[in-house]
């Protein structure tokens, strides 16, 4: 009988079953995952940017100056935007006055 040859009557059937190992006077129990001596393997984790062991404290003076600079830049930006808005309003008002003046001139000339 060759190893590749399969007898159809034995296909899918258990030929021989070994009993579970008995240690320390234990009795043979039916197999469960809890008594099968299965052990979980470790979980591998990839760490890309590990946390620093000690937080480096910077100079408080530098932090304060940075905050002051940020506030100053924000204030300058707000002032610049307000100034541009005022210039835009003044230009629109001047344009409105010129259009009214030109309409009045046409009306005066037409009479």
């Amino acid at each position: 009988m060759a190893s590749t040859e399969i007898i159809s009557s034995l296909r899918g059937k258990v030929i021989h079953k070994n009993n579970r190992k008995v240690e320390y006077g234990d009795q043979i129990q039916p197999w469960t995952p809890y008594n099968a001596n299965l052990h979980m393997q470790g979980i591998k984790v990839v760490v890309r940017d590990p946390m620093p062991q000690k937080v480096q404290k910077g100079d408080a003076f530098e932090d304060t100056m940075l905050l002051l600079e940020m506030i100053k830049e924000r204030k300058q930006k707000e002032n610049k935007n307000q100034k541009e808005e005022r210039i835009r309003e003044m230009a629109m008002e001047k344009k409105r006055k010129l259009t009214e003046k030109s309409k009045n001139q046409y009306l005066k000339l037409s009479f």
Side-chain angles (χ1 to χ4, degrees), residues 59-70:
D59 190 12
F61 178 76
E62 291 176 6
D63 294 340
T64 305
M65 294 307 291
L66 177 66
L67 289 173
L68 289 174
E69 175 120 9
M70 289 171 60

Side-chain angles (χ1 to χ4, degrees), residues 48-107:
R48 292 186 180 165
D49 296 326
M51 293 293 292
Q53 296 296 332
K54 183 177 179 183
V55 177
Q56 298 177 353
K57 293 186 178 181
D59 190 12
F61 178 76
E62 291 176 6
D63 294 340
T64 305
M65 294 307 291
L66 177 66
L67 289 173
L68 289 174
E69 175 120 9
M70 289 171 60
I71 292 170
K72 181 181 173 184
E73 287 175 0
R74 186 184 320 152
K75 191 70 171 173
Q76 286 177 348
K77 188 175 181 181
E78 288 174 2
N79 289 340
K80 183 179 178 185
N81 289 339
Q82 287 177 353
K83 186 177 179 182
E84 288 177 1
E85 187 64 32
R86 274 189 263 135
I87 291 172
R88 190 175 297 115
E89 285 178 17
M90 289 171 60
M92 292 301 290
E93 187 177 334
K94 188 172 184 180
K95 183 178 179 183
R96 215 176 310 120
K97 284 182 182 178
L98 286 174
T99 56
E100 286 178 13
K101 195 174 191 183
S102 65
K103 285 181 185 178
N104 289 340
Q105 286 178 354
Y106 288 127
L107 290 175

